[in-house]
Amino acid sequence: MREMVVYAVLRLALFGVIWWLLTLAGVGVMLAGVLAALISMLLSILFLDKVRDRAAMRWKAADDRRRERRGPVVDEDAQEEDALLDAEQSTDQGSEDQARQ
């Protein structure tokens, strides 16, 4: 979880710095915000990929551990429905065989 927080803080800091620099350069506040969002997104994709990957791997590992503790998901209704469909198909095939004879 710490890696995800670090990644988020780095992206916000990057956005803030770029927005501040663009407003100092004389770009309007709204346009500077839009440009800062786009530029910071591109820079974070290019330069923060290792931080993002570490955060994603930790998140995936925690999710996998959580799934292992729960165990397999068994849908009891699906088994009963399959049994009914199988019985219905076998009776349909039996009636077709009798009609052929």
Side-chain angles (χ1 to χ4, degrees), residues 20-36:
W20 179 68
L21 289 173
L22 286 173
T23 54
L24 285 179
V27 178
V29 175
M30 293 297 287
L31 181 60
V34 171
L35 288 175

Side-chain angles (χ1 to χ4, degrees), residues 9-20:
V9 168
L10 285 173
R11 287 188 71 179
L12 285 173
L14 185 63
F15 171 77
V17 168
I18 293 172
W19 190 23
W20 179 68

Side-chain angles (χ1 to χ4, degrees), residues 20-64:
W20 179 68
L21 289 173
L22 286 173
T23 54
L24 285 179
V27 178
V29 175
M30 293 297 287
L31 181 60
V34 171
L35 288 175
L38 292 173
I39 293 169
S40 66
M41 179 188 64
L42 293 173
L43 289 177
S44 70
I45 289 171
L46 290 174
F47 297 114
L48 298 179
D49 60 339
K50 291 179 184 175
V51 178
R52 182 186 66 232
D53 289 343
R54 277 197 310 257
M57 287 298 129
R58 290 266 313 231
W59 198 296
K60 183 183 178 305
D63 191 42
D64 290 343

Side-chain angles (χ1 to χ4, degrees), residues 51-89:
V51 178
R52 182 186 66 232
D53 289 343
R54 277 197 310 257
M57 287 298 129
R58 290 266 313 231
W59 198 296
K60 183 183 178 305
D63 191 42
D64 290 343
R65 286 192 305 268
R66 198 174 311 116
R67 284 186 184 163
E68 286 176 8
R69 276 187 271 144
R70 283 190 205 145
V73 176
V74 178
D75 189 4
E76 296 169 6
D77 291 341
Q79 293 174 353
E80 292 175 13
E81 290 172 3
D82 289 343
L84 289 173
L85 288 174
D86 290 341
E88 184 179 304
Q89 287 177 354

